[in-house]
Amino acid sequence: MLAFLVRRLVGAFLVLVAVSFITYLIFVKIPGGDPAPRIAGRLATDQNIADIRQKLHLNDPFYSQYWAMMQSLFTGSLKSYSSQLNVVQEIKRGIPATLSLTIGAGIIWLGFGILVGVISAVTAGRLSDRVITVLALIGISMPVFWLGLISRYLFAEGHPLSFLPDGEYVGLTVNPWQWFVHLLMPWTVLAVLFIGFYGRVLRSNVLDTINEDYVRTAKAKGLPPRRVLVKHVLRNSLIPIVTLFGLDFAAVIGGSAILTETVFNLRGVGQYAADSVQSLDLPPIMGVTIYATFFIVLFSVVVDLLYAWLDPRIRPT
Amino acid sequence: MKRRLKLLRPVGAVALLAALALLAAGCGGGGKKSSSGGSNAGSSGKTYPLLRVVWDAPDYMDPALYYTVAAYQLTNYVWTGLMGYKHESGPAGAQLVPYLAASEPTISADGKDYKFTLRKGLKYSDGTAVKASDFRYAIERDFKMDSPGVGFYSDIQGVSGASGFATTKKGHISGIIPDDSAGTIEIKLDNPRGDFLYILALEFSDFVPSGTPASDQSTKPIPATGPYMVQSYTPSRSFTIVRNPHYNNQIPTMPSGNPDKVVGKIITDPVAAYQQVVSGQSDYDFQPVPNDRLPEAQSKYKDQLRIYTNANTYYFALNNAIPPFDNIKARKAVQYALDPNAIISGIYGGLGRPTQNFLPPGYPQYKKINAWSFDLAKAKQLVQQSGTNGQSVDVYGPNEDPSKSTTEYLANQLTKIGYKPKLHLLSHQVYFQTIGNQATKAQAMFTNWFQDYPHPLDWFDVLLSGERITKTHNNNVGNVNVPSVDKEIDALKKEAQNTPAVNDRWAKVDRDLMVTYATTVPYMNKSSTDFFGPKIDMSCYTFGVVTYWDYGLSCMK
Amino acid sequence: MATESTTDFSLDSAAALAADEGGAIEGKSPWLLAWRRLRRNYVALGFLALFVVIVVMCLLAGPYAHHVAGTGPNDNHLGETFTRGGKQVEVVSKGGFTGGTFKAGGIPVGPQLWHAGGKYVFGADTQGRDVAVRLLYGGLNSLKVGIGSALICTLFALVLALIAGYYGGWVDWVIARFFDLIWAFPVLLLAIALGTALSINGFHHFGISIQSGSLWIPTLVISYVLIPYIGRPLRGQILSLREKEFIEAATAQGAGGVRVMFSELLPNIASSVLVFFALIIANNILTEAGLSFLGAGVQPPNPSWGTLIADGQSRIQTAPWLAIIPGIAIVLTVLALNIFGDGLRDALDPRAKVRIEH
């Protein structure tokens, strides 16, 4: 177990280094990427630009620039090229919104996904199953930003069917109720995609498990059907869901959250990333990429451990 | 002018102060002139406890660094310099008055020596006394921090040159001689500058206590000299501005302000910002009302909406140095191919006024040009005659609306008259440095200009003079180079007085560059909006040419 | 974004099929059996038909623009009018100052359906461009990027997985780490970073030259970032196949690497590849839309469904059709592909656990 952990951590570290280096390479040589004239402004003298180049180590070879950037990122002194704001501070400011969005949406999609999957499996072949299947597929087929846009248009303040406040993040500590109602729509929109998906995975897992020998044995023993369903079928069907959830959750932090945050203007880390890419602002791009990669790597380790715990047959190797 | 499209920054006024390009054409016929004039001492009983605003993100909250309207409109009540603007609606708002200086300075006959005396008993908001040497410290701090404003001070003695402060950043600027005990400041210039007092009214000249660290202090607010101080600032989130407890009306030439406290939320999305005011969570929307909501705002909230057009010109620059637009017929063809009214209606929702002049209206040098009409057939014919038909054109523009749509419109019109345009849309963060680089070889470009000084030099010399073409960070992006006009601009530079004759010569420069040589394609003076919550008393609405909406003079119903 | 496969629609075992046809279970090729199963899945076939209809409509964008709408996809009609029922209608409403009064304008004309003789069937956008024409051209671009990137991505993933699975050892190690690395990257972030950086000046290295604004940029970016999502499961399948006797037999007979890979391994994973392919087209169309929405996909003035939604976003109040219509087009296309892909998987390989995820 310890060897497993050590190996995974070393691997994670190497991945972080590789990812940051690739990101650096993507942006370092693009035209317009030179931050010195951007920072110097219009009345810049050549002296001014030269001073800034010096200050930012822009005349150094690219590998030592990379090294300097990584150093300042980990000492927390890295600053954006376009706004000069501290990157780590800005990421920290965005984290509450991003985590509120993803955790809330995660709870909704997991809860509803299980509900939908179980109903669908129990009523397999009947009308309710078919309706759920179709709805699930529609949910999977919708671009999340479009769904967000349309929901905002229909349900948010100042719109025809308005009953929810318009997107904007209100801190949990500032006002819990406002936090909740402001996030309700982003949560739902982000979760819709996954509810359908998880429902379908769970449905097929349940159907597969029902035909397993030990379930037949349990039924034959005369256990009540509900008990069989919960104790034997569901328990085993949920194991793959846990894996999925871990990976998806990490992926959402660094992926779908970008679109959802942008559409609802939540100003979390995802939107910060999108804005920074648009303004070709390398330091925050580096910061956010490493932050998101960290989550992805972390969750894949957690998932492996969790999987081993849930299913003792599997030992992490 | 601002580097970023969203950041509009007027700076100062040179000689003429008469009529400025304030065309406040509100739905209600513009704002009333404020009752409280520039030299009012008190607040005439209109103070109120709290003003809630939605604001655009300031670039910095440090007077050495900020260069946006978002920061200026807010902090012109916080940090002050020797000189400042009168807080009044209309052209009077471009007049300079002494702020920390007790009176107008004594200027030597050759215009190279300025002597100021500070007001007595001035204090910063932390209670420490304001010293004459703080001024020199502030300017030197600008240089140490590579402030975007350092270029303004190059004519002060001891700044330029190999041993100048700009290069060494050591010792002191020899041309600034403060005397702390007498409270006087003497400034010596290498060359006379008619606009020097306006430079002293810039944020970069604002006083900061000696010893303030020479690094960005945005989040550790620098003590203020004005009626307000920054209590807190969280970048890209919020700010709070409160009364300066040590102010004591120490600058009688500026209003002491009506709100006791200003709480600002920073929201960059114009729709969300508008919603804040509509839902009653805020009293003022700094952001322009989005086109999508303008019809609603106009019908439902007519009384709370003000529309203004400040001094700006939106124009397409054509690269005069390389084909096809080194050919005057090709450039004329573009003039005929564009329909300014269509651009304004469709893309800007009507918020703009068509123009064919380079100078914005309101300048005494402005003489309306009416030389072109929208005529695609004629444009096509000119392209044929120029022999440039079918050539490819690299069209550059910013990648955000409405600039993006405007650039797409230009590209499409070029297609219609026989060119093969290729569209390049870039982030506004890097747009101007990209088109300002000769290596980019942009052929047709979206660009615009907001005045720094209400003087034609700020337009023609900076933007269209062949002598100002540079290899990188070029502001004359169209490489406009008409030697005869350049000579006239140089001659006019020496004219200290804007007599009617001089103004006529400027108008001819405008006409020559826009019509005779058809170098550039201006199409619009852009308008914008101020949007208020229902609690704001609109009879106090004051819009200064330099200060924009003057929140210090606002009042509640 | 995730696309998944389970047993949803009618699933018939070979025995059931045989029983239905009133015969004994005969030895039939798996492909024939699959076709028989698919043939009975009317829902899947119906949605396949829908997809084909959408593709054909988009392919007819040119003739539609030319003969029906009478305008190209990028032609603005600002300041123009058109005739509807004998009346002149402004394409985009006029606004501006007349004297001291201001009137807000810039509202494009709404969907005309067939009332304007084929013009502005779905209305105009703020530049006065015909939305229906842009929708078809945009669909064409979205489909090109979606299908193109699915092809490239599947092909590369397949080749890499075959090489890794067949040779094993350090070759496998290198390829597996390559998959791991892209997998660890936040997909969308990597895609917008690459898309944005490449859209500025195109790509001009290694003898390859792609102009900025080319459809190849989003196509290749999407292919690249999604490679591990197909490559990893395929590699797993091949690794387990490799232990099977028939591969050993082929090797013992002196078959070379290429032969074993393509005539022994490939046929055994072909059904999985086919299902992946159908599902990943759906997935890639969604990814393209997301990229274009963030400005890192198809570049203006070229439309795609994603850029159309992005353009419509700022006009959702006064011209909601601008964002709604292209979104419906995406949903229909992706839904059709998902349902068909599901049916295909059920027919080809009922027990397969084929999943594409983000």
Side-chain angles (χ1 to χ4, degrees), chain A residues 15-53:
Chain A
V15 163
L16 281 176
V17 171
V19 161
S20 63
F21 196 68
I22 291 171
T23 312
Y24 187 80
L25 285 183
I26 294 175
F27 281 94
V28 78
K29 276 290 166 207
I30 50 169
D34 185 354
R38 193 189 312 197
I39 295 167
R42 170 206 163 199
L43 290 157
T45 52
D46 290 339
Q47 175 72 43
N48 218 347
I49 291 182
D51 286 349
I52 292 170
R53 294 192 70 87

Side-chain angles (χ1 to χ4, degrees), chain C:
Chain C
M1 260 152 277
T3 318
E4 197 269 337
S5 61
T6 42
T7 49
D8 283 310
F9 290 92
S10 57
L11 163 62
D12 310 293
S13 66
L17 277 174
D20 265 12
E21 286 165 20
I25 304 174
E26 294 169 34
K28 285 192 173 129
S29 98
W31 294 101
L32 192 64
L33 282 173
W35 165 239
R36 291 198 170 173
R37 289 194 203 103
L38 187 63
R39 205 173 56 188
R40 288 157 50 91
N41 188 343
Y42 300 117
V43 179
L45 288 181
F47 276 93
L48 174 65
L50 174 64
F51 179 67
V52 171
V53 167
I54 292 171
V55 171
V56 169
M57 279 170 67
C58 291
L59 285 172
L60 291 175
Y64 175 85
H66 198 255
H67 298 292
V68 183
T71 176
N74 302 333
D75 293 343
N76 75 70
H77 297 280
L78 283 176
E80 295 176 20
T81 57
F82 65 95
T83 329
R84 180 183 61 196
K87 270 190 256 169
Q88 291 296 304
V89 182
E90 286 175 350
V91 179
V92 178
S93 74
K94 285 206 167 62
F97 298 92
T98 34
T101 52
F102 170 77
K103 181 180 161 282
I107 302 170
V109 75
Q112 301 299 304
L113 304 179
W114 297 108
H115 301 302
K119 283 180 189 293
Y120 306 110
V121 171
F122 289 147
D125 71 4
T126 48
Q127 295 183 50
R129 299 179 293 201
D130 190 314
V131 173
V133 174
R134 281 179 76 72
L135 187 72
L136 293 182
Y137 274 98
L140 203 55
N141 286 338
S142 289
L143 289 169
K144 275 183 194 165
V145 174
I147 296 173
S149 60
L151 266 174
I152 296 172
C153 181
T154 313
L155 196 70
F156 268 86
L158 179 64
V159 170
L160 285 176
L162 280 173
I163 293 174
Y166 178 76
Y167 288 105
W170 68 269
V171 178
D172 178 48
W173 189 87
V174 169
I175 292 175
R177 294 294 84 75
F178 169 69
F179 286 162
D180 284 350
L181 184 62
I182 310 180
W183 177 280
F185 239 111
V187 182
L188 197 63
L189 191 54
L190 176 61
I192 58 173
L194 280 172
T196 308
L198 290 175
S199 313
I200 293 177
N201 255 11
F203 181 85
H204 309 276
H205 298 288
F206 315 118
I208 303 166
S209 190
I210 302 171
Q211 290 302 314
S212 63
S214 160
L215 281 185
W216 281 107
I217 290 174
T219 307
L220 292 176
V221 165
I222 295 173
S223 318
Y224 173 72
V225 298
L226 292 179
I227 278 182
Y229 294 85
I230 300 182
R232 277 164 71 130
L234 284 184
R235 172 176 162 267
Q237 285 196 13
I238 292 168
L239 281 179
S240 64
L241 278 177
R242 218 177 158 265
E243 309 302 317
K244 298 265 163 76
E245 290 86 350
F246 69 94
I247 303 290
E248 279 176 33
T251 318
Q253 281 167 13
V258 175
R259 227 202 102 171
V260 173
M261 275 191 263
F262 287 93
S263 38
E264 303 294 336
L265 289 172
L266 185 59
N268 279 287
I269 55 166
S271 60
S272 296
V273 172
L274 207 61
V275 173
F276 267 131
F277 181 63
L279 293 175
I280 208 165
I281 296 176
N283 185 71
N284 288 5
I285 289 174
L286 284 179
T287 309
E288 182 278 324
L291 279 190
S292 296
F293 180 74
L294 293 172
V298 175
Q299 295 299 307
N302 289 330
S304 86
W305 285 337
T307 56
L308 290 180
I309 296 177
D311 286 350
Q313 185 185 21
S314 63
R315 292 297 181 141
I316 191 80
Q317 196 79 14
T318 45
W321 62 89
L322 292 179
I324 292 176
I325 292 174
I328 292 173
I330 294 179
V331 175
L332 286 180
T333 312
V334 175
L335 185 64
L337 282 167
N338 273 337
I339 292 181
F340 171 69
D342 250 24
L344 188 66
R345 191 221 36 251
D346 288 349
L348 281 172
D349 193 2
R351 300 290 296 177
K353 290 271 175 280
V354 174
R355 177 178 191 251
I356 299 165
E357 60 172 283
H358 260 192

Side-chain angles (χ1 to χ4, degrees), chain A residues 47, chain B residues 154-169 190:
Chain A
Q47 175 72 43
Chain B
S154 52
D155 283 323
I156 297 180
Q157 263 183 27
V159 166
S160 304
S163 59
F165 192 82
T167 313
T168 61
K169 293 176 187 176
D190 291 329

Side-chain angles (χ1 to χ4, degrees), chain B residues 464-476:
Chain B
L464 298 178
S465 162
E467 295 160 8
R468 299 287 288 261
I469 297 172
T470 54
K471 226 174 128 212
T472 56
H473 46 99
N474 182 11
N475 278 321
N476 182 353

